[in-house]
Amino acid sequence: MHNAITLTQFLIQDQRRIVTASGELTSLLNDIVIACKHIANVVNKGALIGVLGSAESENIQGEEQKKLDVISNDIVLTRNEWGGHLAGMASEEMEDVYNIPPQYPRGKYLLVFDPLDGSSNIDINMSVGTIFSILRCPEDVVEPTATDFLQPGTEQVCAGYAVYGPSTMIVLTTGNAVNGFTLDSNVGEFFLTHENMRVPENTEEFAINVSNERFWEPPVQRYIDECIKGANGPRGKNFNMRWVASMVAEVHRILTRGGIFMYPKDTKDKSKPGKLRLLYEANPMSLIIERAGGMATTGRERILDILPEELHQRIPVILGSKKEVEIVCSYHREMD
Ligand code: P6P
């Protein structure tokens, strides 16, 4: 039996370091963790309980919803609406803000989440995840509207994700460090297994959907072309490529062994400056990557500095090992 500390113990110890802490964030995070355990359970059972396949509906993004998208969204809402720590929630799967039902007390936080990121992988039994971001609700706001969620990523109180893979893990940052916890399903608790995760500055591994190459901007085309040219090209070294089509899995790999993840601006759909959503994908993952020593940018600006203009805003995302991200940024400066 391992003697690692539980996630709950870690959060309470973390809270004790802040003399003014009320314990609300700790309690909110515990509710989020229970939601992730519940989602892990239904994802793990999959076909056995008939939750695979399409929900025969679309989300606000016009994307087909899987049954598990809807189920996961409902689990997060149900597990978090009653605790008295939130003033409202917003999700990839809901067009508008979710206000706390009148029978429950309101709290000082806002929760923004992607309940099941990478859900196109669910039917092929590949890793998926839940991404969450906690913001402060503006003072004196009882029924928050979308406007109250439009805060830059630097305002996040906490960011984290659950990855439902060979192991179920939660990775989160509540302060300066990034820590990883692994679910022991026999005990039903997450245990600290990856303390102070750091992104290696250098890497030889890139992650991008190369089928979109003809739609990318020239700086991205140049960067990937040079990676592919390898040791005989301008970079003078060979690169490896990965593409899981699940941002949570890509970010987890980068936190574990380095890499650069890119979903850049492309001209595939001129109405969308990128595929990934700022509030509940790019911002929480950027906070985690930066706090682990990496870098997160659109290619032209730091993601965490962007002032959101609308709830489901999309942006280009280039994040990971600092040295490689800096090269991509330098190509944008040179070629713009
Ligand atoms: P593509 C999943 O749908 C997602 O939002 C990210 O998790 C993932 O990185 C990306 O889209 C995959 O996009 O174009 O490969 O399907």
Side-chain angles (χ1 to χ4, degrees):
M1 181 68 186
H2 48 71
N3 60 2
I5 66 168
T6 66
L7 174 47
T8 305
Q9 187 178 346
F10 177 90
L11 291 174
I12 291 171
Q13 287 174 347
D14 204 32
Q15 172 197 321
R16 284 176 184 157
R17 281 194 277 273
I18 305 164
V19 289
T20 56
S22 65
E24 272 201 81
L25 180 62
T26 300
S27 184
L28 169 58
L29 280 167
N30 274 315
D31 292 343
I32 293 169
V33 167
I34 291 169
C36 292
K37 286 183 197 172
H38 190 160
I39 294 170
N41 185 269
V42 291
V43 163
N44 181 259
K45 287 190 168 51
L48 292 173
I49 56 173
V51 293
L52 298 187
S54 172
E56 308 299 329
S57 56
E58 281 190 352
N59 63 18
I60 169 64
Q61 333 279 342
E63 295 162 341
E64 179 204 27
Q65 287 180 305
K66 298 290 188 184
K67 288 178 191 169
L68 275 170
D69 282 320
V70 178
I71 292 167
S72 302
N73 195 66
D74 291 346
I75 288 171
V76 177
L77 295 179
T78 309
R79 291 288 177 193
N80 287 282
E81 64 183 355
W82 63 275
H85 312 301
L86 293 173
M89 293 185 253
S91 149
E92 176 181 324
E93 302 306 332
M94 301 184 298
E95 181 168 2
D96 222 332
V97 168
Y98 180 86
N99 289 118
I100 303 302
Q103 68 268 32
Y104 298 130
R106 272 139 186 70
K108 61 186 179 184
Y109 294 115
L110 301 175
L111 176 61
V112 201
F113 61 97
D114 179 355
L116 202 65
D117 176 67
S119 55
S120 60
N121 281 339
I122 201 72
D123 294 345
I124 58 167
N125 200 26
M126 293 289 283
S127 296
V128 290
T130 299
I131 308 173
F132 56 89
S133 167
I134 299 173
L135 298 164
R136 286 183 186 79
C137 185
E139 288 289 320
D140 307 325
V141 170
V142 177
E143 294 294 348
T145 64
T147 308
D148 298 308
F149 285 78
L150 303 185
Q151 303 176 32
T154 47
E155 293 301 307
Q156 293 175 98
V157 174
C158 168
Y161 63 81
V163 52
Y164 312 114
S167 294
T168 292
M169 285 190 66
I170 279 186
V171 171
L172 64 88
T173 178
T174 56
N176 300 317
V178 175
N179 293 284
F181 305 82
T182 302
L183 180 64
D184 180 335
S185 49
N186 293 327
V187 178
E189 282 296 343
F190 284 94
F191 289 85
L192 179 62
T193 50
H194 297 65
E195 195 164 1
N196 193 23
M197 299 179 85
R198 303 295 292 171
V199 178
E201 278 208 348
N202 297 296
T203 186
E204 288 76 43
E205 195 160 70
F206 66 90
I208 195 166
N209 182 341
V210 174
S211 69
N212 296 324
E213 197 275 343
R214 63 192 180 283
F215 303 116
W216 299 335
E217 295 181 296
V220 173
Q221 289 173 329
R222 173 183 170 189
Y223 175 77
I224 296 297
D225 179 57
E226 290 180 356
C227 288
I228 292 170
K229 281 195 169 69
N232 300 325
R235 297 299 310 275
K237 63 178 182 177
N238 293 324
F239 282 75
N240 195 13
M241 194 201 101
R242 286 286 180 275
W243 189 249
V244 184
S246 168
M247 186 186 193
V248 170
E250 316 276 8
V251 167
H252 193 72
R253 184 187 59 249
I254 288 168
L255 271 173
T256 307
R257 70 182 189 212
I260 181 169
F261 168 83
M262 305 169 79
Y263 214 109
K265 182 176 179 181
D266 65 39
T267 55
K268 195 172 185 179
D269 178 341
K270 290 190 170 47
S271 68
K272 296 174 184 171
K275 177 175 185 182
L276 303 179
R277 276 60 53 137
L278 176 57
L279 278 178
Y280 40 81
E281 291 174 319
N283 268 344
M285 292 312 208
S286 298
L287 188 69
I288 290 168
I289 288 292
E290 282 201 4
R291 291 236 175 109
M295 193 171 166
T297 169
T298 62
R300 296 182 171 86
E301 59 184 316
R302 182 188 183 214
I303 287 173
L304 292 179
D305 289 335
I306 295 173
L307 182 63
E309 293 167 6
E310 63 97 17
L311 209 51
H312 301 288
Q313 179 176 341
R314 296 171 189 265
I315 56 149
V317 176
I318 297 162
L319 60 76
S321 295
K322 199 167 198 170
K323 291 276 196 307
E324 289 303 314
V325 175
E326 283 172 341
I327 290 172
V328 177
C329 291
S330 69
Y331 289 178
H332 279 82
R333 284 192 298 272
E334 273 177 48
M335 301 171 75
D336 273 355

